[in-house]
């Protein structure tokens, strides 16, 4: 009997991505073979690992390898492995759909990309793997059988929206991908991929380091191994070219772009391990998604153990890619055991310090490369300030922040401290949703007038770490929107002491009255030393949550008690002095309470806050404007 053939539709996102690949917006089509060989290598790694862990697995592990076969007459190219293979369900899940976060967002950005270069960058961010086959093939046939199962499956598609799938009785263990090649067209960078010489050239360039033998038939029809199979991390750095490092990075990361930096580590002594790590040149699309992957690959004595080993890198360095090859771990080690393993913890500590020191070196040795790193990964790195106490100082050292010193160029904390005024004790900062909102805030007035530099912090994570980190280089962080601000020197204080005491007496009655009138909204009304042109501003107590952080907690479903803040008045502003005079003359005038309410509302709006009752504010304001006409 003929096995039943089912025709299924691709998931809509997968269909769109296939169309992009078919009408290839990526000029270097040779890389399709790197993707297929990389997938085959992964399948062999997984079979060896599973056979170690499951001694009853019925699988042939005697001669694990990758074979590449060409047929010039039929114009086909086949990449075959005898690895783990796939079941029918796995084929549908892994190939019929794109089981990766951010797919829809990726496709939206791809459509918005203005040119081919931008499109290539986006494809590199996403990583297309198997789909790259459709750059060079009109039809792709896949035959696979999972190790330990009896029945195989055949999958086939032209990439036009549907695929067929059917059971196969006599499929060998592993996976064979056969590409029915498009006609050669060198102008479109479509070469003769049935040419043994061309295939050998591509393998040598992109996949030489693969630790499994890649075999092709030679002139004498005997199969020859065409890759060196030398693990890059085990070779002396003097023997490895930059291009080889870059291709290995693309293999482990499924990125299509070169890495920003390569990091090598070798430890000998009590326990031995080798590490080859990479800092990518751009952030992956899932960097801030909850279901993101993180971690480097773990090997034990050159045997692949697991992808995304989270125990080896902390969450804030989740973008680091590469491999760690330990000599003394068990091959049966699990993720749960790794979390408690002392050796793994020591390796992790060393990797973190090495990555942070590499970035610090980059900061001084290659400012442009560092700027790229911080632009892409700074938000993630700052997460480490909340939970990596051991490396907090090192993280602060490599961090950059926007500041009022330079509108275009961020500053390091070390440079900020070097520019601090004589007698300045604090590193001043302000958090907010945007640079313009912070720069136009009333809180900035006195600092701008007196020439104090202020850090401009607009990332959501900034709201959290500034409260957790006491300071840097002996200087404490100080929000300009919290607590009392004291920018006067001791000499200035002495010179204005008498005038200030008189001012406090003059305004005492007004402040007490306003504190009562606005009691439901504010905890205190006081005179301000931070305002020069605005009539009023709202500030938090030193240890209060900021309004933005309060919103974030509430959005996460956390119940918080109402947080009242402080209203500060500018004693030199005409509106405030006239209000004081009016209150002294007409303390029972109900209209003055409305003026106080308007003053508070204006201060709230000036900092980007939300009015509790916008319609009442508008009504009061309209009434006052009407009386002026």
């Amino acid at each position: 009997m003929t096995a039943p053939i089912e025709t299924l539709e691709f998931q809509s996102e997968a269909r769109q991505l296939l169309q992009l690949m078919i009408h290839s917006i990526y000029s270097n089509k040779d890389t399709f073979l790197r993707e297929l060989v990389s997938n085959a290598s992964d399948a062999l790694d997984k079979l060896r690992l599973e056979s170690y862990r499951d001694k009853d697995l019925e699988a042939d592990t005697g001669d694990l390898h990758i074979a590449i076969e060409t047929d010039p007459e039929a114009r086909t190219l086949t990449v075959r492995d005898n690895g783990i293979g796939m079941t029918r369900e796995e084929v549908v899940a892994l190939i019929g759909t794109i089981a990766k976060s951010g797919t829809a967002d990726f496709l939206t950005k791809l459509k918005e990309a203005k040119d081919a270069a931008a499109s290539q960058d986006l494809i590199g961010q996403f990583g297309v793997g198997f789909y790259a086959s459709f750059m060079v093939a009109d039809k792709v046939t896949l035959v696979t059988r999972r190790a330990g199962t009896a029945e195989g499956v055949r999958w086939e598609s032209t990439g036009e929206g549907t695929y067929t799938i059917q059971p196969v009785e006599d499929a060998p263990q592993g996976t064979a991908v056969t590409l029915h090649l498009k006609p050669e067209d060198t102008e479109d960078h479509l070469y003769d991929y049935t040419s043994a010489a061309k295939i050998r050239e591509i393998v040598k360039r992109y996949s030489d380091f693969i630790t499994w033998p890649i075999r092709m038939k030679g002139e004498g029809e005997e199969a020859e191994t065409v890759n060196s199979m030398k693990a890059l991390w085990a070779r002396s750095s003097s023997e490895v070219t930059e291009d080889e490092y870059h291709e290995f990075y693309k293999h482990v990361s499924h990125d299509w772009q070169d890495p920003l930096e390569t990091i090598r580590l070798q430890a000998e002594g009590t326990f031995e391990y080798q590490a080859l790590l990479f800092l990518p040149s751009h952030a992956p699309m899932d960097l801030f998604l909850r279901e993101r992957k993180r971690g480097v690959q773990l090997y034990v004595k050159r045997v692949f153990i697991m992808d995304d080993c989270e125990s080896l890198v902390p969450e804030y360095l989740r973008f680091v890619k590469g491999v760690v090859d330990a000599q003394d771990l068990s091959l049966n080690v699990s993720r749960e055991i790794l979390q408690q393993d002392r050796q793994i913890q020591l390796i992790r500590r060393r990797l973190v310090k090495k990555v942070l020191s590499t970035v610090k070196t980059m900061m001084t040795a290659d400012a442009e490369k560092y700027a790229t790193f911080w632009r892409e990964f700074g938000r993630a790195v700052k997460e480490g300030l909340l939970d990596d106490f051991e490396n907090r100082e090192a993280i602060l050292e490599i961090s950059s922040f926007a500041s009022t010193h330079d509108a275009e160029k961020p500053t390091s904390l070390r440079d900020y401290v070097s520019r601090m005024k004589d007698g300045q004790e604090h590193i001043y900062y302000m958090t907010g949703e945007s640079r313009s909102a912070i720069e136009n805030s009333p809180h900035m007035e006195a600092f701008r007038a007196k020439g104090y530099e202020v850090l401009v912090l607009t990332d959501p994570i900034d709201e959290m770490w500034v409260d957790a980190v006491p300071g840097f280089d002996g200087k404490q962080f100080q929000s300009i929107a919290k607590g009392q601000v004291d920018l006067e020197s001791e000499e200035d204080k002495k010179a204005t002491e008498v005038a200030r005491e008189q001012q406090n007496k003059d305004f005492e009655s007004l402040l007490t009255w306003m504190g009562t009138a606005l009691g439901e909204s504010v905890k205190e009304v006081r005179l301000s030393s931070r305002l020069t042109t605005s009539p009023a501003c709202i500030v938090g107590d030193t240890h209060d949550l900021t309004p933005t952080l309060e919103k974030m907690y509430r959005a996460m479903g956390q119940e918080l008690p109402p947080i009242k803040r402080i209203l500060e008045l500018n004693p030199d502003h005409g509106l405030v002095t006239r209000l004081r005079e009016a209150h002294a003359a007409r303390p029972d005038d109900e209209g003055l309470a409305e003026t106080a309410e308007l003053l508070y509302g204006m201060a709230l709006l000036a900092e980007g806050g939300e009015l509790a009752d916008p319609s009442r504010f508008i009504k009061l304001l309209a009434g006052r404007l009407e009386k002026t006409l």
Side-chain angles (χ1 to χ4, degrees), residues 23-28 110 112-124 257:
H23 303 293
S24 181
I25 55 176
Y26 196 78
S27 60
N28 186 3
L110 202 55
E112 292 172 354
K114 296 287 188 276
D115 53 45
S119 301
Q120 290 171 29
D121 286 348
L122 285 164
I123 281 206
Q257 296 182 42

Side-chain angles (χ1 to χ4, degrees), residues 196-204 216-218 224 226:
K198 179 63 177 174
I199 297 302
R200 286 167 187 264
E201 172 210 317
I202 296 173
V203 170
K204 197 70 183 169
M216 286 184 67
K217 285 184 179 177
E224 299 175 356
V226 293

Side-chain angles (χ1 to χ4, degrees), residues 483-485 499-508 510-511 514 524-531 535 537 539 566-572 576-577 580:
Q484 294 276 14
V485 164
R500 198 165 57 251
E501 286 178 3
Q502 184 60 48
Q503 199 173 59
N504 287 330
K505 285 180 182 177
D506 292 344
F507 279 87
E508 184 178 4
L510 176 71
L511 298 177
M514 284 187 70
E524 182 188 351
V525 180
R526 68 191 183 198
L527 296 182
S528 180
S529 59
R530 72 185 90 217
L531 297 173
C537 69
V539 301
I566 298 164
L567 178 65
E568 288 193 350
L569 304 181
N570 179 356
D572 298 321
V576 177
T577 56
R580 179 179 69 83

Side-chain angles (χ1 to χ4, degrees), residues 53 298 305-306 309-312 328-345:
R53 292 181 173 167
L298 175 64
I305 298 299
M306 69 180 68
C309 182
E310 296 177 2
S311 299
L312 283 168
D328 306 312
L329 291 175
S330 163
L331 292 172
N332 286 319
V333 72
S334 68
R335 289 186 187 272
E336 291 70 32
I337 292 171
L338 284 175
Q339 290 174 0
Q340 310 300 325
D341 190 275
R342 180 176 167 273
Q343 289 190 16
I344 288 292
Q345 296 308 311

Side-chain angles (χ1 to χ4, degrees), residues 214-228:
I214 302 172
R215 295 176 186 159
M216 286 184 67
K217 285 184 179 177
E219 293 180 6
E221 294 300 299
E222 285 292 317
E224 299 175 356
T225 299
V226 293
N227 61 320
S228 69

